[in-house]
């Protein structure tokens, strides 16, 4: 027999083992190529084996399979897990997915008794269970990574509690703020992201195992036992929903998209701060690259790539929503398309966290340049208007008008507000006194912003301590 015919016979045998007596021949090459998922769903090997072990233990406890068969199956599953963890397992695309690769190897180790493992379950509830456990594990890992980034931001904020920088609206200088206050804004964003992770984890934590193909099973299974063994809060209540639900995947991708947007915003700020026109900050060689033609260049490529990868996360969410939108109950092969975006997004977010955490720890700020920039653009104009209200009792709208006239006068004289003479001030409002100059410096401005959540250095010191209590 030729090598080609031997291979075809092997594939046919694999197909028959997979599909049973309904099919006589192996699938065609194109069908095999479009149908196989082992190239990516092998990432779930640990979760798949954990699910199989829980199912086997339950079958034994319910006397659905014998202790002899069950113990042999459990030992075989442990062997397979060791092979996969060590990289010594030979995955076979002809066996289509992680479930059948495990089952085929189990048959080699255990014999015909391995076939009893699939009693009272389907690949439909099996894959839903595997993916829920995988997403749950991914959420736990990403939560830890988000916490690490928060810690780096909090540490940097503490060291820059009194460092003055320009605050922007519309990317125009607005009011002076402190760098510590600015960095803590991202700590709050990440706190909401971690809250979304916890919500997603809580909602997904119902176990599909035991729903079988779609209708449940006639075997006397104990779904509470398998749910508990796998760390779920309860079994999923409806068998149809259990095998077809991918809300948890959509929610994971949705929270991932929001998180990626937050990462991108922070990365964009790093890019701006490290640019020559800003020159607020400097990244070391560890997070910078050069140019192949311009020897003077230092490019913040790590930040730029974090910013760019946001697009693929948003794309993954959109792609899966389109897949799901037209699916009737219960399971359709379309659902095989749920895994690759989940795996890719989890990896992308983990890499983004590592890069941003490293950059925040690495970045060095030019406090003097930032403070000088904070004083440009008449950034203390609001302080002047507030002084007119507070000291002179002027209605705010009138104070806003007077301040605007003084800003125009300063522009005409090409000077800052605090460089105007008192006579210039009094030409617009005779009641203004020398005391007004006490509120026009950037240090005075930030020190005055003591309202809850404000930018004053004293606030930042307290906010750092509170952030550590809340998040770390």
């Amino acid at each position: 027999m030729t090598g080609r015919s031997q291979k075809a016979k092997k594939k046919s045998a694999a197909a028959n083992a997979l599909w049973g007596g309904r099919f006589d021949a192996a699938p065609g090459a194109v069908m095999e190529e479009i149908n196989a998922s082992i190239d990516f769903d092998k990432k779930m090997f640990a979760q798949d084996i954990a699910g199989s072990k829980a199912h086997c233990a339950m079958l034994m406890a319910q006397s659905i399979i014998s202790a002899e068969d069950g113990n042999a199956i459990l030992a075989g599953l442990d062997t397979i897990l060791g092979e996969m963890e060590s990289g010594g397992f030979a995955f076979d695309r002809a066996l289509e997915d992680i479930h059948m690769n495990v089952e085929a190897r189990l048959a080699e180790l255990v014999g015909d008794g391995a076939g009893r493992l699939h009693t009272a379950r389907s690949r439909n509830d099996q894959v839903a269970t595997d993916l829920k456990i995988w997403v749950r594990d991914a959420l736990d890992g990403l939560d830890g990574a988000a916490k690490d980034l928060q810690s780096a931001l909090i540490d940097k904020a503490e060291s820059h509690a009194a460092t003055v920088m320009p605050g922007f609206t519309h990317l125009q200088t607005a009011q002076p703020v402190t760098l510590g206050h600015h960095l803590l804004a991202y700590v709050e964003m990440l706190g909401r992201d971690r809250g979304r992770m916890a919500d997603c984890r809580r909602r997904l934590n119902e176990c599909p195992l035991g729903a079988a193909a779609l209708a449940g099973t006639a075997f006397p299974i104990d779904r509470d036992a398998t749910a508990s063994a796998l760390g779920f809060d309860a079994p999923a209540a409806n068998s149809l929903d259990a095998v077809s639900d991918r809300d948890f995947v959509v929610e994971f991708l949705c929270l991932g998209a929001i998180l990626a947007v937050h990462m991108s915003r922070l990365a964009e700020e790093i890019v701006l701060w490290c640019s020559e026109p800003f020159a607020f900050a400097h990244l070391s060689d560890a997070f910078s690259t050069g140019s192949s033609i311009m020897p003077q260049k230092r490019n913040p490529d790590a930040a730029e790539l974090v910013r760019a990868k946001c697009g693929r996360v948003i794309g993954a969410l959109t792609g899966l929503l389109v897949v799901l939108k037209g699916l009737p109950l219960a399971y359709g092969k379309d659902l095989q398309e749920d895994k690759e975006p989940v795996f890719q997004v989890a990896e992308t977010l983990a890499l983004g966290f590592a890069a941003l955490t490293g950059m925040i720890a690495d970045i060095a700020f030019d406090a003097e340049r930032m403070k000088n920039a904070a004083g440009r653009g008449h950034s203390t104009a609001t302080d002047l208007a507030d002084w007119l209200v507070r000291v002179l009792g002027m209605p705010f709208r009138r104070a806003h008008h007077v301040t605007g006239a003084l800003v125009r006068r300063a522009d005409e004289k090409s000077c800052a507000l605090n460089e105007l003479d008192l006579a210039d001030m009094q030409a617009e409002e005779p009641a203004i006194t020398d005391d007004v100059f006490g509120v026009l410096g950037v240090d005075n401005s930030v020190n005055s912003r003591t309202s809850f959540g404000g930018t004053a250095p004293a606030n930042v010191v307290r906010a750092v301590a509170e952030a550590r209590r809340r998040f770390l």
Side-chain angles (χ1 to χ4, degrees), residues 2-157:
T2 66
R4 178 175 296 180
S5 59
Q6 288 176 333
K7 183 177 181 182
K9 184 176 180 181
K10 180 181 179 182
K11 286 177 65 176
S12 179
N16 287 335
L18 179 58
W19 303 120
R22 175 66 178 84
F23 290 80
D24 294 324
V30 173
M31 181 61 199
E32 181 180 322
E33 185 65 27
I34 197 172
N35 196 46
S37 60
I38 188 59
D39 293 340
F40 52 85
D41 69 17
K42 64 186 177 184
K43 286 181 180 289
M44 301 190 301
F45 73 85
Q47 291 78 17
D48 190 72
I49 291 174
S52 289
K53 291 177 69 174
H55 185 66
C56 180
M58 180 275 296
L59 293 176
M60 291 169 61
Q62 295 297 106
S63 299
I64 297 171
I65 65 173
S66 69
E68 180 182 2
D69 283 334
N71 288 326
I73 289 169
L74 291 173
L77 290 170
D78 283 335
T79 297
I80 296 169
L81 179 62
E83 292 172 348
M84 290 182 174
E85 288 177 335
S86 67
F89 188 91
F91 292 99
D92 185 353
R93 293 187 90 241
L95 293 172
E96 191 176 313
D97 58 29
I98 183 61
H99 322 299
M100 297 312 300
N101 269 265
V102 170
E103 187 169 324
R105 176 62 176 142
L106 189 63
E108 292 175 353
L109 294 170
V110 175
D112 289 343
R116 300 187 186 280
L117 175 61
H118 210 54
T119 305
R121 82 173 178 187
S122 161
R123 285 192 300 172
N124 294 355
D125 61 335
Q126 188 178 1
V127 70
T129 303
D130 291 359
L131 189 55
K132 277 197 170 185
I133 299 172
W134 196 96
V135 170
R136 191 176 66 190
D137 292 343
L139 286 167
D140 291 343
L142 290 172
D143 180 74
K147 183 178 178 181
D148 289 343
L149 179 53
Q150 285 181 304
S151 180
L153 286 163
I154 290 168
D155 288 346
K156 192 68 74 171

Side-chain angles (χ1 to χ4, degrees), residues 410-470:
D411 283 340
E412 290 169 352
K413 301 186 75 168
S414 299
C415 69
L417 273 175
N418 63 343
E419 293 173 338
L420 285 172
D421 295 331
L422 180 59
D424 291 316
M425 297 273 194
Q426 291 176 336
E428 297 294 341
E429 174 50 59
I432 293 176
T433 68
D434 272 334
D435 290 344
V436 74
F437 293 101
V439 301
L440 296 181
V442 293
D443 287 318
N444 291 330
S445 178
V446 297
N447 286 326
S448 72
R449 304 293 170 180
T450 56
S451 61
F452 181 78
T455 191
N459 280 23
V460 174
V461 171
R462 289 191 294 270
V464 161
E466 181 64 10
R468 286 201 173 102
R469 184 192 68 79
R470 290 165 59 202

